[in-house]
Amino acid sequence: MNNFDKPSVLVIEDEAPIRRFLKLTLSDHGYSFHEALNAREGLSKIASEQPSLVILDLGLPDMDGIELTREIREWSKVPIIVLSAREQEKDKVLALDAGADDYLTKPFGVQELLARARVAIRHAAKSPPQADSIVTFGQVKIDFGKRLVTFNDTELHLTPNEFKLLAALVRHAGRVITHTQLLREIWGSEYTDETHYLRVYMAQLRRKLETDPAQPRHLITEPGVGYKLKLD
Amino acid sequence: MNNFDKPSVLVIEDEAPIRRFLKLTLSDHGYSFHEALNAREGLSKIASEQPSLVILDLGLPDMDGIELTREIREWSKVPIIVLSAREQEKDKVLALDAGADDYLTKPFGVQELLARARVAIRHAAKSPPQADSIVTFGQVKIDFGKRLVTFNDTELHLTPNEFKLLAALVRHAGRVITHTQLLREIWGSEYTDETHYLRVYMAQLRRKLETDPAQPRHLITEPGVGYKLKLD
DNA sequence: TTTCGTCTTTACGAATTCTTGACGCTTTAT
DNA sequence: ATAAAGCGTCAAGAATTCGTAAAGACGAAA
């Protein structure tokens, strides 16, 4: 659902090693990662994070995984991939019929999981020709699905870094994001000291998106801390 | 697609015993059954029978199953479940990225196959009906049914790769598609670094489809990201 | 075998984007 | 008040990415 730039995955898994493993592989492959340690937390995070995919371990402490699948399906269409140690056919049939979209037996291969994740997300993207997630502020409109930004309804061009920065700001709209956090999200964690980059790119964004770049109304500096995007 | 009475399944499989076995089980479980013994026959029966699901064996005599999957996906969204004796992860990834919706290793359980068939058909039921097979932009007209492209009403010839690239662009018309995504859809997931392929084929497409190839109005470059097709 | 069409690979100039440093302004600390 | 630090702006050179043509590789058909 979160159409900004990266697809996001919610992993519901109580075993820490597998969770860590999934976090690494998924983050490495361009997914933003969220986690829940039990069914209850999983349900609430599906609602709050709106992930584009749920990966769900059947053996959770507080609720049967099949039951959880059914609960999710009562109100959400988010793709679900079930992981399980159980290889019996009966389990697979139950999970799939409960509403799961795929079923993988542990141990599974990373590449296969990633490929099946792509299939699940591809399905979801095609389903209802859902409206793109569009964010507006001032005279600016951002269509993340089309990667299109308009100012006063005239299309304008953003470079990759400009767009990534804008996306990061939108992702955390309304709140302050620290320099470190922004640099990590856009350039990677080796660049957390290059606050210089932010100054240059914020200036470029303001020049393109603000009516008066010298008096920004939306791309706000939080001195000594970071930046924030004011919507409205 | 045949939503009226029974869902129909097309099995593309050269080994007679498996074919017979599938025929029995599927018929027993309320599916109407069609069969094809090779890839060529499979392609033509998908067009003529419009099945609601294709079950496809990778080891066909006349064409690589992965390639067949990709060919089907150029013009059809019918759900595809791949059967294979090969359990290697690489094969699964290739098939799934080529457009298959699921992958089962032989020997497989009947109940599991049936459950996965239900999932596939459930997905298809949710997605919107087949997209229009004729697309126009500028002076270009594309008829996907006939695999025919005209410029100013004069027919012009596209090579297989040119056509695949164009089809991928049309499939995502209006939005930016990343290099990785295009390469994955056209050449497969092992080619995601060969961005130079895109450059030469985009150039060839522009030469054939744009009035002024140096100033493209429809086949647009998004520097550092990918390409997009602007209709209108 | 040759021929033909297509695909793959290479090379290089052109275009775009990124990085870097300089400079001046403002705010904060001393 | 002065110094120091943080910020905004600009622009030049570096680095990357693109477009294009053309040559070699490959396979199918004659």
Side-chain angles (χ1 to χ4, degrees):
Chain A
M1 299 290 187
N2 209 337
N3 274 352
F4 295 150
D5 41 13
K6 306 186 198 175
S8 63
V9 180
L10 173 66
V11 171
I12 311 181
E13 163 70 82
D14 60 319
E15 298 172 54
I18 303 188
R19 217 169 50 231
R20 264 206 311 278
F21 167 72
L22 290 174
K23 175 169 191 168
L24 284 177
T25 30
L26 291 169
S27 308
D28 262 15
H29 286 83
Y31 297 93
S32 83
F33 180 90
H34 307 275
E35 59 188 13
L37 283 68
N38 54 50
R40 189 183 39 72
E41 196 185 342
L43 278 168
S44 91
K45 286 217 173 167
I46 291 173
S48 60
E49 311 283 357
Q50 303 263 12
S52 10
L53 169 66
V54 171
I55 296 180
L56 157 56
D57 192 305
L58 272 197
L60 293 173
D62 59 335
M63 190 193 284
D64 174 44
I66 307 278
E67 196 42 50
L68 174 56
T69 306
R70 226 171 259 128
E71 292 240 350
I72 296 170
R73 273 290 167 272
E74 278 173 30
W75 52 273
S76 170
K77 294 177 180 167
V78 60
I80 302 177
I81 294 181
V82 164
L83 302 180
S84 164
R86 315 190 55 168
E87 207 163 354
Q88 273 124 18
E89 211 179 349
K90 200 175 61 180
D91 297 303
K92 300 187 190 179
V93 174
L94 280 175
L96 294 171
D97 280 342
D101 297 284
D102 209 336
Y103 187 108
L104 263 99
T105 317
K106 292 187 275 194
F108 49 84
V110 192
Q111 295 307 322
E112 177 174 1
L113 173 64
L114 289 169
R116 290 191 183 267
R118 285 193 290 273
V119 171
I121 288 174
R122 174 171 91 203
H123 276 142
K126 273 191 225 163
S127 304
Q130 59 194 345
D132 287 335
S133 66
I134 293 181
V135 176
T136 321
F137 59 91
Q139 325 179 46
V140 177
K141 227 182 291 178
I142 312 167
D143 184 327
F144 285 91
K146 299 197 178 81
R147 198 187 179 281
L148 186 69
V149 182
T150 57
F151 185 88
N152 265 344
D153 290 320
T154 61
E155 187 171 329
L156 51 83
H157 178 73
L158 297 193
T159 71
N161 280 349
E162 288 167 1
F163 193 85
K164 285 186 207 166
L165 177 55
L166 180 58
L169 290 165
V170 168
R171 235 189 331 266
H172 304 105
R175 313 174 182 213
V176 180
I177 327 171
T178 64
H179 299 134
T180 312
Q181 205 175 341
L182 281 172
L183 287 164
R184 208 196 328 269
E185 289 194 27
I186 296 156
W187 279 270
S189 34
E190 316 146 71
Y191 289 76
T192 45
D193 291 328
E194 318 286 324
T195 58
H196 196 132
Y197 287 9
L198 292 178
R199 292 210 292 286
V200 173
Y201 279 95
M202 282 301 293
Q204 288 178 358
L205 272 187
R206 289 207 257 249
R207 191 142 37 96
K208 292 183 178 179
L209 303 180
E210 292 278 4
T211 317
D212 178 3
Q215 305 287 322
R217 294 176 33 80
H218 302 100
L219 300 163
I220 309 294
T221 303
E222 212 67 39
V225 188
Y227 295 90
K228 78 171 171 185
L229 172 63
K230 269 179 79 176
L231 298 176
D232 67 50
Chain B
M1 308 294 168
N2 205 338
N3 281 347
F4 298 137
D5 37 31
K6 304 190 213 175
S8 64
V9 180
L10 171 67
V11 171
I12 311 180
E13 162 72 81
D14 59 319
E15 298 172 51
I18 304 189
R19 218 169 49 231
R20 268 207 309 281
F21 165 72
L22 288 174
K23 175 168 191 167
L24 285 177
T25 33
L26 289 169
S27 307
D28 263 13
H29 286 83
Y31 297 94
S32 85
F33 180 92
H34 307 276
E35 59 187 14
L37 284 68
N38 54 49
R40 195 182 33 74
E41 195 185 345
L43 276 169
S44 90
K45 286 217 174 168
I46 291 173
S48 59
E49 311 284 357
Q50 301 266 354
S52 8
L53 170 67
V54 171
I55 296 179
L56 157 56
D57 192 304
L58 271 199
L60 293 171
D62 58 337
M63 188 192 285
D64 174 43
I66 308 276
E67 197 41 49
L68 175 56
T69 307
R70 231 173 252 131
E71 295 248 343
I72 296 171
R73 273 290 167 274
E74 276 172 37
W75 51 274
S76 169
K77 295 180 180 166
V78 60
I80 301 176
I81 295 181
V82 163
L83 302 180
S84 166
R86 316 192 56 171
E87 207 164 353
Q88 272 128 15
E89 211 180 350
K90 201 175 60 179
D91 297 304
K92 299 187 190 179
V93 173
L94 282 175
L96 293 170
D97 279 340
D101 297 284
D102 209 337
Y103 187 107
L104 264 96
T105 318
K106 293 188 273 194
F108 49 82
V110 194
Q111 293 308 320
E112 177 174 359
L113 174 64
L114 289 169
R116 290 190 183 266
R118 285 193 290 275
V119 171
I121 289 174
R122 179 170 88 205
H123 276 143
K126 267 191 266 179
S127 18
Q130 186 82 253
D132 196 358
S133 70
I134 295 183
V135 178
T136 325
F137 60 91
Q139 326 180 43
V140 177
K141 220 182 294 178
I142 311 166
D143 185 330
F144 285 95
K146 296 179 186 150
R147 199 189 176 288
L148 191 70
V149 182
T150 57
F151 185 88
N152 266 344
D153 291 321
T154 62
E155 182 172 337
L156 52 80
H157 174 73
L158 296 194
T159 71
N161 278 351
E162 287 168 2
F163 190 81
K164 286 183 201 173
L165 178 55
L166 179 58
L169 289 164
V170 168
R171 215 174 302 132
H172 304 267
R175 60 187 53 218
V176 177
I177 327 171
T178 63
H179 299 133
T180 311
Q181 205 176 339
L182 281 171
L183 288 164
R184 211 201 303 286
E185 290 192 22
I186 296 158
W187 280 270
S189 38
E190 328 166 88
Y191 288 78
T192 46
D193 291 327
E194 318 288 314
T195 56
H196 56 275
Y197 285 13
L198 293 178
R199 274 187 265 127
V200 350
Y201 279 97
M202 282 300 294
Q204 289 176 359
L205 273 186
R206 289 207 257 246
R207 196 143 33 112
K208 293 184 178 179
L209 303 179
E210 292 277 3
T211 318
D212 177 4
Q215 304 286 322
R217 295 177 33 79
H218 301 100
L219 301 164
I220 308 294
T221 302
E222 211 68 38
V225 186
Y227 294 90
K228 77 172 170 187
L229 171 63
K230 270 179 82 173
L231 299 176
D232 67 48

